[in-house]
Amino acid sequence: LAGSDESGPQALPNLIKFLVGRKNRSGLMCIGGPYIEELDGGNPEQSDAPLINTAIRTCKEWCQIDLSACTRWPKILEIQYQRPASTHHGPYEERTVIFVPDAWSCLPSQEEFDAQWEARWLAKQPTKPADDADKEKKAPAKADGADKAEGADDSDVKAAEKEGEQMDEEPRKEPEPEKAPEPIPPPPEDRCLFAVIRKDKKDKLSSKMISLDGLLDYNEDDTLERTFEVSLFAEAFFEMLQRNYGRVVLDALIRAPEKAPPADKDKDKKRKREGDAGDDAKKVKKDADAPQDVAVEENKDADKDAGEERKDKDKDGQKDTAAAEDKVDEAAAKDDDRSVSSSAKPKEEAPTDLEKLAAFRFFDVGDTGYLKSSDVEDLLHSLGLFLSKKYAQSLVSKVADSSSKVFYKNLTKLAE
């Protein structure tokens, strides 16, 4: 899901790929075959073990992959056909069961994988052509054989001899220097299984890797029964992913914190106006209750002493103000230093929950970074949990913005 820097993230249906078969150049089909009691044993009506034996046998015959080491065989789909009666037997029921084996348990060891990689590379190299010297040695042998042939015409023998003389007269070409064999490229880091399709001129078998998105891209022309089974399997597998990832999205919405209630601007303005009016009323009342000052003539000495005291207080006040300004400047300088140090060390982001990220990106096909609120509500209702419409809307409204979009980046962060 992360993708490379050039290609960007890819949708999960494009990353999941399946090995499917093709027979007689017709539609796609699942790799497998019919159950044979003598080879597979058991009773398929009682357990799935005989059908698993059938899958192991037919897969090995078809593409040389041994799945006998697989320990998990989840059954994805079972189709039942009601076949009509025919001349040989009456009506009967036929079942088609599709498994998705846990192929990870069948991967070869690193040494075995390296040996298989080297053998496949050497097998793909073109064979060396016969040397010119070998061709020249064969030419006289044919001429000698023509001389010894019984009933051969003299004209044919002479023509062969003349042709041999001309070959001797022609200048021999120097053999070209042999090219150094190409070095074997290093094997990929991830080990895998190699499918080798058996050659069958009658059935013309082949196989190919197709993504889940490619299997879902079927049309009305795919009328073959085996192709219908592949398309039905793709739909069932896709719905399984939708259900699993949908529940992860639901869990992320439930755990999301509630939005802070928006502040009521009208109430704030009303409170401010009432506060201003109260302050004005208090001020008017204070002015009305203040006693009238009567001018009293004081002694000149008292006025002089009061003036000197005021001068001393003013000087002390100026000193205190200067000291306070110095302290403010020092505090501002410290705050600047702290802001610079905090900007130099950015806050680390919380780690990402990869499961939640994969779930949201599964539904974000266009890789836009958000989902529409209506799409998220439809997703919640499709899970089969019988959520009420009001509850689904409340979950989505917690994380949606004013444009009805759910940006899921913050929802995929792990809680600290």
Side-chain angles (χ1 to χ4, degrees):
L1 290 172
S4 62
D5 295 337
E6 297 178 358
S7 60
Q10 299 184 36
L12 187 60
N14 290 329
L15 296 176
I16 299 177
K17 296 186 178 181
F18 297 93
L19 179 66
V20 296
R22 189 186 292 261
K23 194 173 184 179
N24 295 327
R25 297 180 180 178
S26 58
L28 302 175
M29 62 180 295
C30 297
I31 294 177
Y35 160 77
I36 301 175
E37 185 177 0
E38 292 79 9
L39 299 176
D40 305 322
N43 184 2
E45 299 293 337
Q46 298 178 356
S47 67
D48 293 334
L51 298 179
I52 293 174
N53 294 335
T54 303
I56 294 172
R57 173 178 57 83
T58 53
C59 185
K60 194 170 184 179
E61 292 175 356
W62 188 309
C63 52
Q64 306 300 315
I65 294 180
D66 187 8
L67 298 177
S68 57
C70 285
T71 56
R72 297 178 58 199
W73 289 80
K75 184 195 296 185
I76 302 298
L77 187 65
E78 180 175 338
I79 309 171
Q80 296 182 357
Y81 297 98
Q82 300 296 330
R83 303 296 187 186
S86 62
T87 55
H88 301 287
H89 48 72
Y92 66 98
E93 181 182 287
E94 184 177 295
R95 289 193 305 152
T96 298
V97 181
I98 300 179
F99 298 95
V100 178
D102 180 16
W104 299 105
S105 56
C106 297
L107 292 177
S109 63
Q110 190 64 45
E111 295 178 357
E112 294 174 346
F113 179 68
D114 294 342
Q116 293 177 8
W117 176 265
E118 183 177 353
R120 285 178 60 84
W121 173 260
L122 295 176
K124 290 181 179 180
Q125 298 306 310
T127 56
K128 294 182 179 179
D131 297 335
D132 295 337
D134 297 338
K135 293 180 181 178
E136 292 176 0
K137 289 179 182 178
K138 292 178 182 179
K142 289 181 181 179
D144 295 340
D147 293 338
K148 295 177 183 178
E150 295 181 1
D153 296 337
D154 295 339
S155 59
D156 295 339
V157 175
K158 290 180 180 179
E161 292 178 352
K162 188 175 181 181
E163 201 172 311
E165 292 176 359
Q166 289 178 356
M167 290 177 64
D168 293 338
E169 292 176 0
E170 291 179 359
R172 294 184 178 181
K173 296 180 180 179
E174 295 182 359
E176 296 180 358
E178 294 184 359
K179 293 182 179 179
E182 295 183 10
I184 300 175
E189 295 181 0
D190 298 330
R191 292 171 293 161
C192 61
L193 297 173
F194 295 106
V196 182
I197 305 302
R198 63 182 175 89
K199 295 181 180 180
D200 192 337
K201 294 182 180 179
K202 181 181 178 182
D203 293 334
K204 296 180 181 178
L205 300 176
S206 62
S207 67
K208 62 188 305 184
M209 295 289 293
I210 300 182
S211 65
L212 178 60
D213 188 62
L215 294 180
L216 292 170
D217 188 21
Y218 53 84
N219 51 43
E220 296 179 354
D221 297 335
D222 300 329
T223 56
L224 292 177
E225 190 174 278
R226 53 176 178 259
T227 306
F228 161 75
E229 293 172 353
V230 174
S231 303
L232 193 60
F233 160 77
E235 290 285 355
F237 196 88
F238 186 75
E239 288 182 3
M240 179 193 68
L241 294 177
Q242 278 186 319
R243 183 188 69 249
N244 293 346
Y245 282 131
R247 294 192 175 186
V248 175
V249 172
L250 173 61
D251 181 68
L253 296 180
I254 293 174
R255 295 175 182 274
E258 295 285 347
K259 278 185 178 179
D264 194 343
K265 296 181 179 180
D266 295 335
K267 290 183 178 180
D268 292 342
K269 290 180 179 179
K270 186 177 180 180
R271 290 195 193 99
K272 188 176 181 181
R273 286 197 300 270
E274 291 176 354
D276 294 342
D279 293 341
D280 294 340
K282 290 178 182 178
K283 187 176 181 181
V284 170
K285 186 177 180 181
K286 186 177 180 181
D287 294 340
D289 295 340
Q292 296 292 331
D293 293 334
V294 180
V296 179
E297 190 173 345
E298 300 287 345
N299 294 327
K300 293 181 180 180
D301 296 336
D303 292 340
K304 186 176 180 181
D305 294 338
E308 290 178 356
E309 289 179 359
R310 282 197 296 271
K311 288 181 181 179
D312 294 338
K313 289 182 180 180
D314 292 339
K315 289 181 181 180
D316 295 338
Q318 290 177 359
K319 291 179 181 180
D320 295 339
T321 303
E325 289 177 355
D326 294 339
K327 291 181 179 179
V328 169
D329 294 338
E330 291 177 1
K334 289 181 180 179
D335 291 339
D336 293 339
D337 295 338
R338 289 175 184 172
S339 62
V340 171
S341 61
S342 61
S343 62
K345 295 180 180 179
K347 186 179 179 181
E348 295 182 359
E349 291 187 358
T352 302
D353 189 336
L354 297 181
E355 184 182 13
K356 290 182 181 179
L357 180 62
F360 280 101
R361 279 187 173 172
F362 177 80
F363 299 103
D364 183 15
V365 180
D367 188 33
T368 57
Y370 66 86
L371 300 174
K372 293 183 179 179
S373 299
S374 57
D375 294 340
V376 179
E377 291 180 15
D378 294 340
L379 168 63
L380 298 181
H381 290 304
S382 67
L383 298 178
L385 301 176
F386 304 102
L387 303 177
S388 65
K389 186 175 181 181
K390 185 177 180 180
Y391 181 62
Q393 289 177 347
S394 64
L395 289 177
V396 177
S397 62
K398 285 199 306 181
V399 295
D401 61 1
S402 58
S403 59
S404 298
K405 294 178 181 179
V406 178
F407 290 87
Y408 53 82
K409 182 179 179 182
N410 293 332
L411 297 176
T412 59
K413 300 298 182 181
L414 289 172
E416 296 181 357

